[in-house]
Structure formats: C-alpha cells, structure tokens
Amino acid sequence: MAVFEAILELADDHLVLGHRISEWCGHAPMLEEDLAMPNMALDLIGTARTLYDRAAMLEGKGRSEDDMAYLRGEREYRNCLLVERPNEDFAHTMLRSLYFAAFMRPFWLATLEMTTDETVRGVAGKAEKEMAYHIRHAGEWVIRLGDGTEESARRMRDAVAALHIYTGELFESSPAATEAEAEGVLPVRADMRAAWEDVIGQVFAEALLEAPEVPYPQTGGRKGLHGEGLGHLLAEMQSVYRAHPGATW
Amino acid sequence: MYSQGLIGADGSTTETPEFLDTFQKRIDAEQKIEPTDAMPEGYRRTLVRQIGQHAHSEIVGMLPEGNWITRAPSLRRKAALLAKVQDEGGHGLYLYSAAETLGVSREQMTEELHSGKAKYSSIFNYPTLTWADIGIIGWLVDGAAIMNQIPLCRCSFGPYARAMIRVCKEESFHQRQGYEIVMTLAQGTPEQKAMAQDALNRWWWPSIMMFGPHDADSQHSDQSMAWKIKRFTNDELRQKFIDATVPQAEYLDLTIPDPDLKWNEAKQGYDHGPIDWDEFWRVVKGHGPMARDRIKDRKAAWDNGAWVREAALTHAEKRRARKMAAE
Ligand SMILES: [Fe+2]
Ligand SMILES: [Fe+2]
Ligand SMILES: [Fe+2]
C-alpha cells in the first residue's frame, strides 16, 4: 500500500503542475511560448497518466487513471505545495518549473539506477529527458528575466521570494515514500539536494539572483494539507467528470 | 483552424497590361509564385490579407477551445485537446512566417488584429458552452477548414501552398478526433447525447456560414480565382462540406438543425434551407457574442507579456555587448 501512495504523490505532482501550466494556453507572452507551454504541460500530464495507472494497479481496486485524477478531493491529493502555487506571472511560472524540474531530473536518473519497478523505470527513462528540457527552457527564461530589464529583474526576485519557501518539501519523504525507498522502488528524496543546488546555483549566478535563507519552510502537501488554491483547481478540473457519474468520455 | 472566405480584399492593381499578362501566363501554367518574384500589387495585397486573416484565425481559435482544457473530462482528452490547441498555435506561426515573406511583420499583423483592422474567422466569436462543443468544433469547424484549405495546397503562392500542406494533415487529424468525441457522446448517456445535439444545433449554421456569402453576392472571388489563390467558389465548397457531413450526422443519429435539408437526386447533393445572412454580417462586422472578449483576451495576453518580450530583447542586447567587449 505504501508504494501505491508514494507513486500517487508523484503522479499528483505532475498532474497539478501540468494543469497549472495548461492554464496559460492561448494567453502566453508570445506565440513561441504558446507552443512551448503546452509541450511542458503534455510531458507532465503524460507522466501523471502512467503513474496513476501504475498506482491503480498496485492498489488493486479496479480504479482507473481518471478515477484517481477526478474523484479525489483536495484532502486526498498528495502533491507538494510548490506545484499548486498559482501562475501569478511568467516569472513565477518559469521559476516554479525550474525548481520542480531541477529536482525531478536527478530523481529520475537515480530511479533508473535502482528501481525494481519496471513501469517506474519506463517513466524515468522518458521523464528524465523531458525534465532536462524543462530545466533548459525554464532556466533560460529565469536568466533572461533576472538579467533583463529593471522590471523583469524585480519580478524575478519577487518570484524567488514567493516560491523558495516551498522548495524544502521536495526533499522530504513521507512515510509512504520512505517505505517505497526501503523497498527499492524510488530513490531517497533527500539525496537530490546537491544536484538541485548545483542547477539552481548555476542559473541564479547568471540570473543575478540569490537564494534566500528559509527559516520557515512551507510543507504539508503530502498529508493533504494544501493551500486554498488547490480546491479551486480541482473543482474546475473535475466539474464535468463529477457531473456525469459513470459516463465514458 | 481556419480561413474563412476572404472578407473585403481589394485586388485592384496599377501595373502595365504587359506585366499583368506575363504574370497571368505564369499562373495559368501552374507555376508557383515565390516571394522574390515580381507580382502585381493587388496579388500581394490580397495574399497578405488572406494569409493574415488565416493566421489570426488560428490564434484566436486557440481561445474557445482553450476554454475547455482545464475541464476536459478525462486525462486522455485533456492531453489531446492541449495538443490540438498547440497545433493551432503552430499553424498561426507558419502562416505569419508565410505572410512575412510578403513584407509585413508579425508585429504589424498583431497590431491590426488588436485594433480590429484585421479580421479573423467569425466562427470564433461564438462561445464554447459545454464539453460537446469541443467535439463539434473539431468535427465541423476543422472539417470546414479542411474543405477550404485542401485547394489552398495548390494555391499559386508557393509559401502559402507549402504551409497548407502541413496544416491540412493536422486539421484532418483534428477533424477525426472531434468526430470521435461526438461519437462517444452520441453513444453515451442520454445527457451526453443531448449535449452533443445541443452543440450541433448551435454550431451548424455558423459552420456553413464559414464558407462566406453566396457566389452571386461575393464580389472579390473572380480575381482570386483567376490568380489561382482560390480554386473553388464559396457555394461549391459549402456544398462539398454539407454532402460530406450529412451522412456523418446520420451515422451518429444526430439531427442537423435544418428542416429543409434534403437529398436532391438531380444534382446529386443536398439542398439546404436559407442561411441567415443578417447574422453572418452582424458577426463578421464584430458584433458576435464573444467578439469583444476574444480581442480583449488577445490584447491582455499581449500587453501582460510586454515586459517579458522587452526583457528578452534587453537580455539579448546585454549578451551581445558583453561578447563584443570580450573579443
Ligand atoms: Fe485544427
Ligand atoms: Fe489550424
Ligand atoms: Fe487552419
């Protein structure tokens, strides 16, 4: 059961972030980003789908990926708080993706080395490359904005101040994740710290940004203790599915 | 998504009869005109306007469908819709590039869209009210787009023709995907089937209006036909679309909301009831239900993104300066 929950946590991270990025569709600052953002959203949602499917199989109650995504409420979602943060502006959106991808890339690389779960290995092989692209794309934007105009630099600093407090949670393993780690399914989250800091350090140096001290990190997502925004995200996402119980789409 | 029958093109031109004659001979010989070739000003202007309208339609068309990405009722549908809306943005990009070969910048075209000077397909000024609209748009609107655009693959202007070949492949995928959504609904619960019928009722007439006014009322068609920018008349294309679509609706047991629709054995095609041209012109002139919201959204995206584009330019400038200083 613990492995099932640990995979669900990962799936929720990917779906919620993919959903957030998809909110930009048609509203991006330039046409090139109207093409790039759906790409990133599609990568994340694709990963979420495979992971939900795997979680449902491990659970063995005959639930589908859509049951997982559409029939759980905000107290049952297990995503980390970072991914549910609202888009705010393009600076926040790119920084949020950089923070997440800079964690997931080493996580998937480590997974490839150790996992005993073939489905998870398959996901890791594909997602590792996608996360490298997300680091590049989002990282380049963080640099351009951080070392751009006065306004963009201010917005970038605001984004760091707003989002850095959520990054600590990425390195924490819930009891379920700890078990999955002990069983050799997933790598130890805390072990990604050095690789993450390396990427963020390089990008921030070029972006003229500083990582702040975080005396009070914000956590709680793995226990289903979310911000108020997630309930609205889910209400919107699940509205049609829940209005027609049992229907096929 | 789609270019509507061109609205308000001015094909007038001032070149010498000899020049026009030589140009027409090239067209008649089915030679492709390339951006660096000499061309009548009217030809260039017609294309700039048509390709621009088409590009804007792709971009504005992202909005009504984007409206359902966050509510798509399954993860598979959500991913497919995201990919579709992304394709439409890609079509906009190729088309702006094709128009740029004629000497207008994307920025200029964008400004004309925002100021209301440039048109886009009026179909996107209707709202998407339920999930079924996403299926119906793929089936009918992308379907109508294909009817219009397949002949454009043979358009005399090379860059436009080549862009259309790529675009048409994706549009036919969208059309099949839309039809498949509608089929799932039509074969689903009674509520789902009613949702599909309601969407068909709302989108049918706007879809067949997409082909533009009747041939008798369409002044600009003749010159475009002679220049082989256009290959079929509005009514010919509309007829093809109706003839292809009616059996598809019958297969789904959905009713096309036209009591006068019936098979005409003599012409081997369907006759249809009168089109409400007042509605058509009202929407074309910018009074469609979503017209103000669409332009407001596009402008907001553009204006809210101004600081991002400015920062990108400034950053590139700083890089160049640093590189020069280092050399
Ligand atoms: Fe399309
Ligand atoms: Fe398109
Ligand atoms: Fe199109």
Side-chain angles (χ1 to χ4, degrees):
Chain A
M1 251 5 231
V3 173
F4 149 73
E5 280 170 32
I7 291 176
L8 203 55
E9 290 173 0
L10 276 174
D12 287 348
D13 283 353
H14 285 77
L15 178 61
V16 170
L17 185 57
H19 184 100
R20 275 287 185 236
I21 294 174
S22 80
E23 291 171 356
W24 274 100
C25 202
H27 306 277
M30 63 195 72
L31 188 46
E32 285 74 4
E33 285 306 304
D34 264 324
L35 302 181
M37 285 205 271
N39 249 344
M40 296 171 69
L42 280 165
D43 289 344
L44 294 161
I45 292 169
T47 296
R49 290 182 63 191
T50 316
L51 291 172
Y52 280 134
D53 197 55
R54 180 68 185 140
M57 194 181 289
L58 289 168
E59 186 194 37
K61 291 185 184 165
R63 289 205 277 177
S64 68
E65 60 175 43
D66 290 333
D67 294 336
M68 296 291 186
Y70 290 92
L71 293 179
R72 287 179 304 133
E74 54 264 56
R75 293 285 287 116
E76 293 154 288
Y77 259 71
R78 288 290 179 265
N79 58 279
C80 61
L81 300 179
L82 174 70
V83 297
E84 72 189 53
R85 296 311 300 159
N87 291 335
E88 298 287 355
D89 66 7
F90 195 66
H92 280 71
T93 298
M94 286 299 125
L95 182 68
R96 187 184 57 198
S97 281
L98 175 67
Y99 281 158
F100 182 72
F103 177 85
M104 287 313 304
R105 172 112 203 284
F107 183 88
W108 290 130
L109 285 172
T111 303
L112 282 174
E113 298 285 307
M114 52 70 69
T115 188
T116 53
D117 186 306
E118 282 313 307
T119 307
V120 170
R121 178 189 304 281
V123 169
K126 184 169 156 292
E128 170 273 305
K129 293 181 196 76
E130 293 167 349
M131 290 301 108
Y133 164 75
H134 292 208
I135 291 174
R136 202 163 57 243
H137 188 79
E140 279 171 6
W141 272 113
V142 169
I143 292 167
R144 275 185 208 112
L145 299 177
D147 183 20
T149 61
E150 235 172 80
E151 180 180 5
S152 70
R154 176 189 53 77
R155 285 176 181 266
M156 210 59 248
R157 286 192 303 272
D158 289 352
V160 171
L163 294 174
H164 211 79
I165 55 174
Y166 298 102
T167 56
E169 192 181 16
L170 291 168
F171 305 96
E172 288 179 2
S173 297
S174 67
T178 307
E179 252 183 78
E181 290 162 12
E183 285 185 37
V185 176
L186 296 173
V188 176
R189 297 184 74 93
D191 291 352
M192 309 306 144
R193 179 63 85 173
W196 186 85
E197 280 177 356
D198 192 40
V199 168
I200 300 301
Q202 282 178 36
V203 171
F204 276 24
E206 280 198 68
L208 315 177
L209 292 167
E210 263 175 69
E213 291 298 318
V214 180
Y216 304 108
Q218 296 291 315
T219 63
R222 307 296 184 206
K223 294 185 198 141
L225 298 171
H226 297 280
E228 291 177 349
L230 184 70
H232 293 274
L233 181 155
L234 294 179
E236 183 175 351
M237 183 172 89
Q238 299 173 342
S239 57
V240 180
Y241 192 88
R242 285 190 188 255
H244 300 265
T248 302
W249 300 96
Chain B
M1 167 120 352
Y2 162 63
S3 85
Q4 155 171 282
L6 184 60
I7 301 156
D10 173 7
S12 67
T13 202
T14 55
E15 288 80 3
T16 63
E18 293 76 21
F19 174 79
L20 291 176
D21 194 48
T22 315
F23 184 76
Q24 191 60 48
K25 287 208 173 83
R26 288 192 61 191
I27 299 273
D28 293 342
E30 297 288 336
Q31 285 179 26
K32 286 277 178 268
I33 308 301
E34 295 301 330
T36 48
D37 295 346
M39 62 183 84
E41 186 48 29
Y43 179 83
R44 197 191 71 87
R45 216 170 29 235
T46 301
L47 278 164
V48 165
R49 185 180 282 239
Q50 176 160 341
I51 300 171
Q53 277 181 19
H54 191 166
H56 297 326
S57 302
E58 304 285 350
I59 300 305
V60 176
M62 296 171 82
L63 296 170
E65 293 187 276
N67 181 40
W68 282 89
I69 289 173
T70 54
R71 290 175 288 173
S74 76
L75 294 181
R76 180 170 79 94
R77 295 294 186 200
K78 193 186 196 66
L81 182 56
L82 256 169
K84 185 194 178 200
V85 175
Q86 183 192 33
D87 283 349
E88 307 301 3
H91 299 167
L93 198 59
Y94 316 145
L95 287 162
Y96 282 129
S97 306
E100 281 180 324
T101 66
L102 291 163
V104 278
S105 71
R106 203 209 293 181
E107 228 137 72
Q108 213 175 315
M109 287 183 274
T110 303
E111 268 160 34
E112 288 183 1
L113 171 66
H114 294 173
S115 72
K117 190 170 166 232
K119 299 279 178 220
Y120 57 90
S121 182
S122 42
I123 193 86
F124 301 121
N125 286 331
Y126 292 89
T128 49
L129 300 179
T130 70
W131 170 250
D133 292 35
I134 298 307
I136 295 283
I137 286 178
W139 174 28
L140 300 184
V141 178
D142 288 83
I146 294 165
M147 287 297 170
N148 252 302
Q149 289 172 194
I150 283 182
L152 287 173
C153 298
R154 294 187 295 128
C155 166
S156 58
F157 185 58
Y160 194 25
R162 288 188 291 270
M164 279 306 103
I165 291 170
R166 186 157 170 200
V167 166
C168 279
K169 281 192 194 129
E170 292 180 349
E171 301 295 11
S172 53
F173 181 71
H174 298 166
Q175 195 267 349
R176 282 200 302 277
Q177 195 171 273
Y179 189 66
E180 201 252 321
I181 291 176
V182 180
M183 190 184 303
T184 307
L185 297 173
Q187 296 168 354
T189 66
E191 291 79 13
Q192 285 176 304
K193 185 165 186 193
M195 198 191 281
Q197 181 64 55
D198 169 63
L200 177 58
N201 293 348
R202 285 181 287 109
W203 289 95
W204 173 256
W205 291 105
S207 298
I208 67 168
M209 287 178 199
M210 278 172 72
F211 296 94
H214 285 310
D215 297 346
D217 308 313
S218 170
Q219 321 92 302
H220 302 294
S221 237
D222 293 352
Q223 182 62 75
S224 282
M225 296 279 273
W227 277 334
K228 300 197 176 172
I229 295 172
K230 203 172 162 67
R231 298 265 177 175
F232 295 97
T233 69
N234 294 352
D235 285 330
E236 284 166 351
L237 291 168
R238 185 167 17 242
Q239 187 68 50
K240 275 175 190 258
F241 173 75
I242 293 173
D243 293 345
T245 307
V246 172
Q248 295 170 346
E250 281 170 356
Y251 181 79
L252 299 180
D253 191 29
L254 293 176
T255 308
I256 288 177
D258 177 359
D260 298 323
L261 191 73
K262 63 170 184 300
W263 178 252
N264 179 330
E265 190 59 36
K267 83 171 183 191
Q268 287 293 300
Y270 287 89
D271 289 331
H272 63 81
I275 293 172
D276 181 352
W277 293 112
D278 288 342
E279 173 176 332
F280 173 78
W281 288 113
R282 203 160 58 234
V283 177
V284 164
K285 287 179 179 148
H287 306 294
M290 294 300 288
R292 290 152 302 277
D293 304 65
R294 297 290 183 240
I295 292 301
K296 191 170 137 244
D297 278 5
R298 283 313 309 161
K299 269 167 116 165
W302 187 250
D303 294 345
N304 295 336
W307 68 273
V308 177
R309 298 190 303 275
E310 205 184 309
L313 287 175
T314 306
H315 179 77
E317 200 47 58
K318 284 183 180 177
R319 283 221 149 155
R320 243 194 314 278
R322 280 199 290 260
K323 208 173 155 226
M324 297 248 293
E327 271 164 10

